[in-house]
Amino acid sequence: MNANKGKPLLVADEYTFKLNKATTTTKYWICTINVCAAKVHTDLTNLLMKTAGNHSHLPEKEKIE
């Protein structure tokens, strides 16, 4: 999925994440809600590897549609 500005977004468990950093083996994603501490790590094919932190808000179902 892509954001309005064409940047990549990841959807996991009804939450959206924006790409924060990418290395040669891992992509690091942060929640699109700025005050939320939830993070996700994926491999280069966006396969979920690790989750960290908890969401401080409800799922973003309307944003995903």
Side-chain angles (χ1 to χ4, degrees):
M1 186 169 138
N2 285 326
N4 293 341
K5 296 180 182 177
K7 295 187 178 187
L9 287 179
L10 177 74
V11 177
D13 297 327
E14 298 182 344
Y15 292 97
T16 55
F17 296 85
K18 58 187 174 183
L19 185 61
N20 188 42
K21 179 179 153 185
T23 66
T24 56
T25 59
T26 307
K27 290 182 181 179
Y28 300 92
W29 304 82
I30 57 175
C31 186
T32 56
I33 303 296
N34 291 336
V35 296
C36 184
K39 298 175 184 175
V40 170
H41 300 177
T42 65
D43 65 11
L44 297 180
T45 63
N46 296 333
L47 183 64
L48 187 65
M49 294 170 38
K50 179 182 176 181
T51 59
N54 293 315
H55 290 279
S56 59
H57 56 93
L58 295 173
E60 303 163 280
K61 294 177 186 178
E62 67 285 341
K63 212 184 222 186
I64 296 169
E65 295 173 0

